[in-house]
Amino acid sequence: METTETLVKEFAAKTRVGGDATAFAGYEASSAERAAYTSPEGGDVHVVILGHVDAGKSTLSGRLMYALKAVDDRAMHKNVRDSKASGKSSFAWAWVMDCRPEERERGVTIDVSMKRCVLDGHRQLVVLDAPGHKDFVPNAISGASQADAGVLVIDGAMGGFENGFAATPGHTGQTREHARLARALGLHSLIVVINKMDCVEYGEERFRFVVDALQNFLIDDVGFSQEQLTFVPVSGIEGTNISPDDAAALPDALASWYRGPTLVDALRAVKIPSRGAPKPLRMPIADIITEVRSLGGAACGGKIEAGSLMKGQKLLVMPANVSATVKCVEVDGIAVDFAPIGTSVDVGLSDVDSRHLEVGSVLCHASHPITPTDEIEVRVLTTDMLRVPLLKGSRVVLHSHMLACDATIEELVAQVDTVTGDVVKASPRCITREQSAILRIRTSRNICVEPVEISPTLSRVTLRMNGKTMALGVVTAIWRS
Amino acid sequence: MKITSRAFEKNAKGWIKFVPESADDVWHAYNLIAVDDEVECATMRKLKNEHAGELRESSSKVVKLTLRVRCEDVEYDAEGATIRVKGQNKTECEEVKLNAYHTLEIGIGRAVKIEKTAWDSVDVGRLEEAADPSATADLAAVLIVDGLANVVLVGATQTIVKGKIEASMPRKRGMALMGYEKAETKFFSNVASVVERHVDFDRVKCLVIAGPGFTKDTFTDFLKLEAVRKNWKTLQTNFSRVIKAHASSAYVHSLSEVLENPTVRALISDTKAASEVKALDDFFEMLANDPARAFYGPAHVMAAHELNAIDKLLITDTVFRTRNVAQRKMWVRVTEEVTKSGGIVHIFSSAHASGEQLEQITGAAAILRFPLPDLADAELPAL
């Protein structure tokens, strides 16, 4: 039986570097760092809000922020006043998150917004409100890449769910694509919110109908397990069933049959699974920050996916391969000396030229940096949206953590069995929909990814073509010259 | 291309004299010149002063003369739109010894004479294409998204990226949103100046602003105002020829989506670029719907041809630039036979995105008249 190693031909001057789980065996983590790895009770919980366009994600996020006291009455009054003045009064809650002028004008979320609030006694909630529009899926991918759990918002109104869930050649709703992305990007739990329940008078029948259809899809098709899913009926516009503090205000129509958690309860129940052994620093840059004085001229923001950050620490910026020193670390504008794995931070760097910082670059531990590469090997599963088969030479857009770049499929190494991973056909003529395959991909510039055995987060890849997600998978090896 | 005189017979030897008038013509010339052809044009030669043996440095002077060279190597320089032909000198003259090596440079405006031992049908076809004035329609495109723009000129034979502009735009993460508008304005004005500098509205049929989301709309509005602010007269007067189109990304490979847009297609329907994109698309459609009717790879295409099964043949011009004379003859024969039996041959320019894509899948593909399922999956020996 052929294995991947025997099939992948060696070519001049480059070595294939597979995933070696013992790669960081010699890594010495500080005690503070180790503590964050072994006891993930405190810290940040990142949640991405996904769903088809107009499902009500931004309105729900705004309500959530208000319920968790991240937005006060005065700010809300301003939103209500301003949105009414623009003739968009129904968007008042959405405007908590949609703050770009263009988003307000067009009434649509373009970029992921990130807002922080207190979840409970020892944890903070970081809400990433993603766009639902199909043109902005790349932004949704970056948002979901930073998340630990997901909230999939479904429009429960008659026709709304059907529209978002549709999968016909003429029209595909984003519900399916977002659900698949959620799973492929490693979200541990998914809270499925059936929104706009006010439009169906909080009817149990409608709720059950939508839940059944979704459950079948999410479990059988996408691959979530029952334990990972929670279904919550809400009304974003009316604020129903969002927070336990408003339990008394639950409308009778809902209270008569619903015994489950509120949205906030469900969020508080999210548990971040064990992080395994400590690994050296990896922080993908999500954002370049230029206008914050306290951070200085070379600053960036992102989520610490491995290791930790400390003020004064020396690190390496890859793929630029330049060193930098941590001048200061801020969490929501407040300076801290130390930030552990799982925290979203803003970092001010010194001794580095800001042009080396790019979205998609990774801040790495100085002694254990990522090896940049332009040639990677991936194992992917193609989606049902793939129509024209993948051939050698097919042009794709590769997404991984915060980065996106154009790439070419250099070689169809093998078609493999989706479940066992055994080779079905070596060097196939083409790869069609819903097949698993091993591909060798050349990117247009050097990128930072790691094989799946080394890093769960920095190994996930999404391949898109013509505005559709064609394949999802992981990096199995990188080619190093 | 201006052909000033010619004297050849098809499949026999002969010569032509011509003047390339554009970068496209230079590309045509690059595809015409083969190893062992004799190429003649005006050139510069550095003559060493032969009076050696004197203590002072040998002086040299540069002389302009016309030399005929037997081609051993041809190189194309996209930047300068020139071709360099290296080979042995075959001109009997005082200044240069016979068989001394020399490199000729062919560019726009410089008269050239090419003499071949055999002008086959592919060469003749290319000459006809080069001489056809209507095929010189160009299209300019700006593929743009938040923070990335590619300004591209699509000519008759080549797609050239005139500029790639990247900027880090602040995301909506807490404090960072400040400065978004400033960053956007700076990004847009950089893109606008590249557009103004490279888009020649006398040559170009239209300017397409394409991309996902709303950036294309915002940028088009900006461009209109900028043209007035910066007093760019040509852009102002030609703004009616600026159209918007949706594309799924701002990467250059999304250009094919722009070329398939109905509004754009109506304007450039007769250009080579558009027909190549359509042909490749038809091939991929066939591969999706009836894979046993879509073959690629020289061995498979040949096998299909032997069964007289080819309806459309897609082949890149790189195949015809091969030094292997026998191979070239074989492919010329295939194209002639396919055309004779009622099929269509598309010779893709490897300087277009679709040609590059075809190259990646070996450079030869075919859409068949009827399915050949056994042959499709068979592993055939290389040609």
Side-chain angles (χ1 to χ4, degrees), chain A residues 210-223:
Chain A
V210 173
V211 168
D212 282 339
L214 282 170
Q215 208 156 27
N216 287 336
F217 169 67
L218 291 168
I219 296 177
D220 299 331
D221 208 323
V222 180

Side-chain angles (χ1 to χ4, degrees), chain A residues 35-36 39-46 116-126 148 270 272 275 303 331 338-344:
Chain A
S39 47
E41 278 114 35
D44 291 351
V45 174
H46 290 74
R116 183 182 283 273
C117 53
V118 174
L119 182 61
D120 56 29
H122 34 246
R123 289 182 303 175
Q124 296 225 319
L125 181 71
V126 177
D148 304 303
V270 166
I272 297 180
R275 303 196 195 270
K303 182 183 173 200
V331 174
F338 173 81
I341 180 179
T343 328
S344 269

Side-chain angles (χ1 to χ4, degrees), chain A residues 285-288 357-361 402-404 445, chain B residues 168-169 171:
Chain A
I285 297 180
D287 196 3
I288 308 294
L357 302 177
E358 280 182 2
V359 173
S361 294
M402 294 296 112
L403 75 84
R445 56 189 163 88
Chain B
S168 273
M169 306 295 279
R171 312 291 282 273

Side-chain angles (χ1 to χ4, degrees), chain B residues 45-64:
Chain B
R45 179 80 177 180
K46 192 158 137 178
L47 300 179
K48 278 241 201 32
N49 192 321
E50 294 287 312
H51 299 296
E54 306 234 346
L55 281 173
R56 59 160 187 255
E57 285 179 2
S58 58
S59 57
S60 61
K61 56 178 183 162
V62 179
V63 162
K64 181 171 174 179

